[in-house]
């Protein structure tokens, strides 16, 4: 029997479908980053509101039996299923059994099933008694009882909202940081309420004019007064009672001011953190972006240029530079780009999200460090780095940087161009700069284009007033300058065209549209 | 006018990189070290001289033919660089000055100070990085043309035999099929440059004195050159044209 259980646990633990199912439900219920969770949450929130709406409707008028049936059974069963699923995914029974059996095997003793069961029970009970689980359980109760009073448990379903709405969780977590202050406040107001209600009861209960006759009324009066609400339905009539009232009112002002200030300060302290969590969330949702590590002079300029056509994220460990980046309208995060931990915390998936990583710190040490860090978590991403001192070039190469830019060498080459080929230089410079309206663009040949164009002669580029400089053949990585008319186009090739940017756009449109004509 | 001497002001890596890249082009290369520079490294076999900001360029005038010289101002400090440029410009009206600047702001100041060409280091690096990422293929091809990794050339050719074109408009000529070259732009006599497909060029008959900017392989350019005119030298005074 024991043997059977252990064997079964092993096979279940190794089963792919079982683990996959469990993982799916875990994601659906607990993982905020899972893409379908929000739909599930929305569905549950709708059920809760429907449930509450039925409860309200039921108070004064008759509700159709179908709705009541829906409310009592269907919704409850859905909630029950959710509760059981949560109980299931919360911990793994099979793992506990396996762990226990391996532990026993290691100690060379017989496998003790009862201890394993006890362990399981402990873990599950720990979950069952947690506040969230209790609320979940209470929300199911209307299913079991038709009693009028227990209908009120439907309101527990409203508490379930806390589970599904993230802002509630932020709110409670922020307030939780001020636990000590709130306890102090609660103690203070508790003592004041207790003392004042006893006092007012002693002073007024025997006075026939006074509306305060019971201790319950005294407590009610003092809570109404200390909260500065002051309905006025119960008022002290004796001098001594009024004196107590004055003390309670003064204490009430203090309590109110204190509460407000605690909440406000809790939020101001946490504001940056909340904002950052929001940014991190946004970043993890972005599809494609450039990651700039280090925000200094070159980085500023690069970011400006890239921002026009793509998302740019800046990482820097220096607060001041991050401030600058934010001022320049970038998404900037104060994380060390040279630490693996940062990428984990930011939940950046380098494979799918990052187009290229740019190490633009003006320090070779930092850039080597960042490049090496990135390479250690991803082998394929394109890394570009600037180089400050030529003697460090091989270190960057070794760290796995794909492209190295050495400003001093660039200046040397530019000087050479200036003196050697000024015409070429000026022409290329004019083509590159954004100021002239003449542009050079690359148009990638895709399947759709190939359906209507298969060789160069068919492009009719001169009709669109663009110059076809050449074709970059993806297959053999060669540039064919001024290709002859019969040159075949292939998928993945690039057409390099020069012309007025507007005409290039038109030409590009024509290339992609022809199929429909 | 052919330049034969390069004067590089500044004693740093920029200066050495420039010297290394242009040494095949000039008979004389001289690096000037600012007196206050505490330089210990001794680099190769360049002529090293000292200079200061006292505005006494007599020695320079006597040693080099300033008409045939080109000056590079590559001091690390932008303010000093601007001062040096102004000083050189006020003493030598015709000297070609290329200056290095850290950012765009001092680039403007350097042009005002009289530099013929300014290289803003940060901007240049940044735009190369951005181009590499945005248009990788274009950047690769252009770099190959610029840095002589491919045989493609860009040249400027002046029309001297306009009867070759027989009064045709530039748009009517099949440049690439007939001559194996691509004409990018045409400069008129008034030195305004127009892109080949611009509407202005469409109504312009090719005349003597027009200058074509063409892309092509050396042989084709030579052929084309033979049939219509001659390759023109760079006009150093109107560099940017």
């Amino acid at each position: 029997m024991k043997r059977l259980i252990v064997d079964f646990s092993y096979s279940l633990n190794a089963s792919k479908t079982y683990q996959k199912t469990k993982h799916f439900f875990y994601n659906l219920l607990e993982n905020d980053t899972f893409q379908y969770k929000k739909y599930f949450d929305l569905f549950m929130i709708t059920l809760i509101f429907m449930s509450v709406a039925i409860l309200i409707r039921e108070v004064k008028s008759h509700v159709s039996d179908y709705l009541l049936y829906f409310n009592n059974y269907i919704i409850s069963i859905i909630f029950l299923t959710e509760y059981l699923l949560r109980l299931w995914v919360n911990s793994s029974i099979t793992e506990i059994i396996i762990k226990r059996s391996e532990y026993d095997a290691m100690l060379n003793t017989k496998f003790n099933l009862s201890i394993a069961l006890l362990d399981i029970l402990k873990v599950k009970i720990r979950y069952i008694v947690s506040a969230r689980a209790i609320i979940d359980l209470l929300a199911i109760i209307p299913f079991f009882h038709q009693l009028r009073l227990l209908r009120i448990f439907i309101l527990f379903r409203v508490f379930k909202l806390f589970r599904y709405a993230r802002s509630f969780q932020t709110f409670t977590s922020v307030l939780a940081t001020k636990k000590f202050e709130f306890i102090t406040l609660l103690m203070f107001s508790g003592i004041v309420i207790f003392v004042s209600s006893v006092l007012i009861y002693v002073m007024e209960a025997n006075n026939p004019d006074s509306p305060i006759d019971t201790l319950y009324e005294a407590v009610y009066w003092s809570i109404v007064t200390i909260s500065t609400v002051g309905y006025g339905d119960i008022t002290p009539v004796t001098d001594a009672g009024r004196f107590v009232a004055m003390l309670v009112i003064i204490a009430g002002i203090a309590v109110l001011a204190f509460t407000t200030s605690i909440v406000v300060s809790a939020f101001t302290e946490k504001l940056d953190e909340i904002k950052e969590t929001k940014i991190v969330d946004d970043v993890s949702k972005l599809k494609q972006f450039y990651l700039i590590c280090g925000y200094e002079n070159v980085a500023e300029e690069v970011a400006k240029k890239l921002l026009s056509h793509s998302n740019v994220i800046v990482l820097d460990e220096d607060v001041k530079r991050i401030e600058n980046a934010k001022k320049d309208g970038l998404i900037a995060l104060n994380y060390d780009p040279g630490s693996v931990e940062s990428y984990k915390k930011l939940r950046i998936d380098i494979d799918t999200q990052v187009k290229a990583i740019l190490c633009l710190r003006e320090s070779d040490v930092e850039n080597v460090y960042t490049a090496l860090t990135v390479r250690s978590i991803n082998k394929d991403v394109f890394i570009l780095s600037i180089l400050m001192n030529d003697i460090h070039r091989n270190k960057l190469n070794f760290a796995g940087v794909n492209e190295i830019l050495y400003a001093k060498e660039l200046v040397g080459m530019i000087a050479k161009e200036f003196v050697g080929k000024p015409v070429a230089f000026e022409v290329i410079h004019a083509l590159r700069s954004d100021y002239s309206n003449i542009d050079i663009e690359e148009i990638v040949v895709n399947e759709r284009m190939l359906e209507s164009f298969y060789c160069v002669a068919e492009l009719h580029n001169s009709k669109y007033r663009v110059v076809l400089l050449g074709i970059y053949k993806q297959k053999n990585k060669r540039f064919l300058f001024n290709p002859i008319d019969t040159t075949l186009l292939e998928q993945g090739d690039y057409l390099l065209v020069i012309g007025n940017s507007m005409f290039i756009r038109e030409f590009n449109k024509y290339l992609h549209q022809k199929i429909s004509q | 006018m052919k330049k034969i001497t390069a004067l590089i002001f500044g004693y740093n890596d920029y200066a050495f990189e420039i010297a290394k890249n242009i040494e095949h082009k000039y008979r004389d290369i001289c690096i000037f070290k600012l007196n206050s520079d505490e330089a210990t490294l001794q680099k190769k076999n360049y002529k090293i001289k000292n200079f200061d900001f006292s505005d006494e360029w007599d020695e320079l005038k006597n040693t080099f033919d300033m008409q045939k010289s080109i000056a590079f101002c590559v001091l690390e400090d932008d303010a000093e660089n601007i001062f040096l440029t102004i000083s050189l410009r006020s003493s030598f009206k015709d000297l070609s000055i290329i200056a290095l600047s850290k950012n765009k702001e001092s680039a403007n100041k350097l042009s005002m100070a009289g530099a013929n060409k300014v290289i803003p280091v940060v901007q240049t690096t940044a735009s190369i990085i951005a181009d590499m990422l945005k248009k990788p293929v274009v950047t690769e091809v252009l770099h190959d043309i610029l840095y002589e990794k491919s045989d493609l050339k860009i040249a400027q050719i002046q029309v001297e035999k306009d009867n070759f074109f027989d009064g045709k408009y530039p748009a009517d000529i099949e440049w690439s099929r007939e001559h194996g070259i691509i004409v990018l732009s045409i400069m008129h006599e008034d030195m305004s440059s127009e892109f080949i497909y611009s509407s202005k060029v469409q109504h312009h008959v090719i005349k003597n004195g027009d200058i074509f900017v063409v892309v092509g392989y050396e042989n084709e350019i030579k052929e084309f050159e033979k049939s219509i005119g001659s390759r023109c030298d760079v006009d150093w005074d109107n560099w940017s044209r």
Side-chain angles (χ1 to χ4, degrees):
Chain A
M1 172 70 186
K2 278 181 193 172
R3 173 112 216 112
L4 210 67
I5 290 177
V6 175
D7 282 351
F8 181 67
S9 303
Y10 270 111
S11 69
L12 207 56
N13 214 27
S15 154
K16 254 192 191 143
T17 20
Y18 174 77
Q19 291 299 345
K20 225 170 129 185
T21 325
K22 187 164 181 177
H23 193 70
F24 170 76
F25 280 114
Y26 175 80
N27 278 336
L28 194 65
L29 295 168
E30 306 283 355
N31 186 358
D32 283 334
T33 52
F34 187 60
Q35 52 175 335
Y36 299 116
K37 184 177 186 284
K38 57 174 182 252
Y39 302 112
F40 174 74
D41 288 357
L42 214 64
F43 172 66
M44 295 305 271
I45 289 171
T46 321
L47 285 186
I48 291 167
F49 278 117
M50 280 164 78
S51 195
V52 173
I54 293 169
L55 176 78
I56 293 169
R57 178 86 184 144
E58 211 188 353
V59 174
K60 288 244 170 168
S61 45
H62 180 72
V63 176
S64 97
D65 288 342
Y66 292 116
L67 271 181
L68 281 181
Y69 178 81
F70 173 73
N71 192 20
N72 289 341
Y73 296 99
I74 299 194
I75 295 185
S76 298
I77 286 171
I78 293 172
F79 283 1
L80 180 68
T81 324
E82 188 211 359
Y83 182 77
L84 293 177
L85 281 174
R86 276 187 201 278
L87 193 64
W88 175 46
V89 300
N90 156 264
S91 51
S92 166
I93 295 177
T94 54
E95 251 166 48
I96 295 173
I97 293 177
I98 289 169
K99 220 166 139 194
R100 175 52 63 176
S101 80
E102 276 173 1
Y103 180 77
D104 285 339
M106 200 175 69
L107 292 181
N108 229 346
T109 53
K110 257 180 95 188
F111 171 59
N112 193 334
L113 186 65
S114 51
I115 292 185
L117 289 180
L118 208 68
D119 284 346
I120 294 166
L121 212 62
K122 258 193 227 160
V123 174
K124 293 294 175 192
I125 284 181
R126 202 180 303 145
Y127 174 73
I128 290 170
V129 298
S130 69
R132 290 164 151 214
I134 289 175
I135 290 175
D136 281 350
L137 189 67
L138 290 175
I140 305 166
I141 281 180
F143 169 61
F144 298 104
H145 297 272
Q146 290 293 326
L147 290 170
R148 184 90 201 158
L149 182 67
L150 285 175
R151 287 287 161 77
I152 234 57
F153 278 106
I154 286 180
L155 280 182
F156 275 99
R157 293 185 174 173
V158 179
F159 286 123
K160 263 171 86 77
L161 283 178
F162 283 102
R163 249 198 208 290
Y164 308 114
R166 184 82 85 71
S167 48
F168 284 133
Q169 285 166 26
T170 328
F171 187 77
T172 40
S173 75
V174 166
L175 291 187
T177 60
K178 291 283 172 180
K179 211 165 162 187
F180 171 73
E181 285 88 339
F182 276 114
I183 289 173
T184 320
L185 179 72
L186 212 66
M187 296 278 274
F188 172 72
S189 41
I191 290 168
V192 173
I193 290 167
F194 175 71
V195 171
S196 60
S197 45
V198 170
L199 272 177
I200 204 94
Y201 180 71
V202 172
M203 306 293 174
E204 304 254 322
N206 283 331
N207 192 320
D209 294 338
S210 166
I212 296 168
D213 293 325
T214 61
L215 188 62
Y216 181 72
E217 277 170 339
V219 173
Y220 167 75
W221 169 84
S222 78
I223 289 176
V224 166
T225 311
I226 201 169
S227 65
T228 72
V229 172
Y231 289 125
D233 52 345
I234 297 173
T235 45
V237 289
T238 60
D239 283 346
R242 283 181 176 155
F243 182 71
V244 175
M246 284 191 275
L247 292 183
V248 176
I249 287 166
I250 291 165
I253 293 170
V255 168
L256 195 75
F258 197 28
T259 319
T260 320
S261 71
I262 291 174
V263 175
V264 170
S265 75
F267 271 95
T268 40
E269 277 167 27
K270 284 273 170 176
L271 200 64
D272 287 340
E273 213 172 287
I274 294 170
K275 267 190 196 159
E276 189 149 318
T277 329
K278 175 94 181 73
I279 294 179
V280 170
D281 270 1
D282 290 348
V283 167
S284 61
K285 275 179 209 147
L286 280 180
K287 290 244 156 52
Q288 288 266 291
F289 57 82
Y290 292 110
L291 192 67
I292 293 184
C293 303
Y295 197 70
E296 282 174 281
N297 296 324
V298 176
E300 281 175 30
E301 291 298 326
V302 172
K304 236 184 261 168
K305 286 185 197 302
L306 290 179
L307 205 55
S308 58
H309 87 233
S310 178
N311 288 312
V312 179
I313 310 273
V314 176
L315 286 191
D316 200 314
E317 62 212 317
D318 186 272
V319 182
K320 224 176 191 171
R321 290 199 292 262
I322 285 295
E323 284 299 313
N324 284 342
K326 281 183 183 162
K327 266 182 214 151
D328 294 345
L330 295 160
I331 304 174
L333 294 156
N334 189 12
Y335 283 87
D336 180 6
S339 129
V340 178
E341 199 61 28
S342 310
Y343 300 95
K344 273 190 200 151
K345 272 190 199 149
L346 291 170
R347 301 198 301 267
I348 292 177
D349 183 0
I350 296 182
D351 257 336
T352 57
Q353 285 185 296
V354 180
K355 278 193 205 168
I357 290 184
L358 317 177
C359 307
L360 303 181
R361 276 297 298 278
E362 279 161 25
S363 142
D364 290 332
V365 179
E366 295 289 338
N367 286 339
V368 167
Y369 193 64
T370 306
L372 209 55
T373 309
V374 173
R375 268 290 167 259
S376 72
I377 39 181
N378 190 300
K379 294 266 170 297
D380 306 317
V381 68
F382 182 84
I383 303 179
L384 181 149
S385 173
I386 53 170
L387 175 69
M388 299 312 287
N389 196 332
D390 205 22
I391 53 171
H392 297 133
R393 186 185 286 273
N394 53 351
K395 296 178 189 92
L396 278 173
N397 271 327
F398 189 75
V401 174
N402 302 76
E403 193 77 49
I404 296 173
L405 271 139
Y406 181 42
K408 284 160 189 161
E409 181 187 50
L410 282 178
V411 169
M413 296 220 282
I414 289 169
K416 182 181 174 186
E417 290 316 313
F418 266 147
V419 298
K421 296 193 240 165
V423 183
F425 189 89
E426 287 304 334
V427 171
I428 288 176
H429 182 76
L431 285 177
R432 271 201 188 142
S433 72
D434 306 329
Y435 308 113
S436 67
N437 48 6
I438 302 302
D439 222 345
I440 178 161
E441 282 288 349
E442 51 194 52
I443 299 174
V444 65
V445 177
N446 56 21
E447 223 174 318
R448 191 183 157 79
M449 254 164 73
L450 282 177
E451 283 175 31
S452 23
F453 306 93
Y454 65 92
C455 73
V456 171
E458 293 185 325
L459 293 172
H460 296 301
N461 55 299
S462 57
K463 211 177 94 192
Y464 281 84
R465 296 192 188 182
V466 292
V467 173
L468 178 68
L469 188 66
I471 297 179
Y472 185 85
K473 282 282 178 195
Q474 191 64 26
K475 213 166 54 186
N476 47 11
K477 304 237 176 288
R478 269 194 55 206
F479 179 65
L480 298 178
F481 168 74
N482 196 8
I484 51 169
D485 283 351
T486 51
T487 310
L488 290 179
L489 298 175
E490 282 166 294
Q491 195 170 347
D493 289 351
Y494 287 92
L495 307 177
L496 260 65
V497 293
I498 303 178
N500 187 305
S501 27
M502 221 162 61
F503 290 136
I504 293 183
R505 258 205 305 279
E506 285 297 316
F507 181 56
N508 198 355
K509 235 195 247 164
Y510 153 79
L511 291 182
H512 287 88
Q513 255 174 4
K514 203 191 170 189
I515 193 167
S516 59
Q517 283 164 5
Chain B
M1 191 177 302
K2 184 95 178 114
K3 308 282 172 183
I4 51 167
T5 318
L7 313 169
I8 304 174
F9 295 87
Y11 192 76
N12 49 37
D13 286 339
Y14 290 114
F16 300 131
E17 280 291 340
I18 290 174
K20 193 174 82 192
N21 274 297
I22 62 170
E23 59 192 349
H24 66 285
K25 192 88 181 156
Y26 295 96
R27 219 174 52 204
D28 243 351
I29 291 178
C30 186
I31 295 179
F32 289 84
K33 188 174 113 189
L34 194 62
N35 277 347
S36 55
D37 273 353
E38 291 269 338
T40 46
L41 56 157
Q42 188 61 47
K43 271 275 184 175
K44 289 179 207 159
N45 38 13
Y46 299 118
K47 258 187 254 169
I48 312 269
K49 289 191 173 179
N50 286 337
F51 80 101
D52 53 37
F53 290 128
S54 60
D55 233 358
E56 283 169 19
W57 300 108
D58 288 347
E59 195 200 331
L60 202 66
K61 219 184 285 180
N62 296 334
T63 339
F64 303 104
D65 179 357
M66 296 313 271
Q67 290 275 330
K68 291 182 178 171
S69 296
I70 180 164
F72 294 88
C73 303
V74 295
L75 297 178
E76 294 269 11
D77 185 86
D78 272 349
E80 284 179 352
N81 219 14
I82 291 171
F83 191 83
L84 171 69
T85 310
I86 288 192
S87 169
L88 284 172
R89 177 55 74 223
S90 59
S91 309
F92 311 105
K93 288 272 166 300
D94 306 320
L95 180 68
S96 301
I97 302 175
I98 297 172
L100 208 63
S101 83
K102 293 272 182 306
N103 53 45
K104 227 169 196 161
E105 195 190 314
S106 32
N108 284 338
K109 287 178 193 155
L110 278 166
S111 323
M112 282 164 66
N116 298 69
K117 197 79 206 175
V118 181
I119 310 174
V121 181
V122 170
Q123 263 75 15
T124 312
T125 319
S127 51
I128 289 176
I129 292 175
D131 283 343
M132 258 180 195
L133 298 169
K134 282 200 273 193
K135 303 176 190 171
V137 178
V138 167
T139 312
E140 195 188 317
V141 171
L142 292 186
H143 270 229
D144 285 354
I145 296 176
L146 260 185
Y147 302 130
E148 291 174 345
K149 281 179 201 148
S150 85
D151 304 325
L152 276 180
K153 298 238 152 41
I154 294 185
Q156 215 166 302
I157 297 171
Q158 187 156 24
V159 181
E160 283 165 357
K161 310 166 188 163
D162 58 3
N163 50 359
F164 177 83
F165 295 107
D166 200 18
K168 274 188 197 162
Y169 294 111
D172 301 335
I173 303 168
E174 294 270 4
W175 301 100
S176 50
R177 290 191 188 118
E178 287 169 24
H179 306 289
I181 53 159
I182 285 177
V183 178
L184 289 182
S185 65
I186 297 180
M187 270 187 225
H188 303 310
E189 275 166 346
D190 59 355
M191 293 310 272
S192 68
S193 176
E194 283 288 336
F195 183 62
I196 183 75
Y197 281 129
S198 75
S199 48
K200 213 167 162 187
V201 171
Q202 306 270 320
H203 306 288
H204 174 84
V205 183
I206 300 164
K207 283 193 304 243
N208 276 345
D210 287 350
I211 297 170
F212 290 127
V213 174
V214 302
V215 193
Y217 292 108
E218 186 66 38
N219 283 341
E220 271 88 23
I221 294 180
K222 276 211 178 103
E223 282 295 313
F224 184 63
E225 201 183 312
K226 247 186 252 160
S227 48
I228 68 149
S230 67
R231 200 178 288 216
C232 42
D233 272 337
V234 182
D235 181 352
W236 290 94
D237 293 325
N238 290 305
W239 197 327
S240 56
R241 282 175 188 163

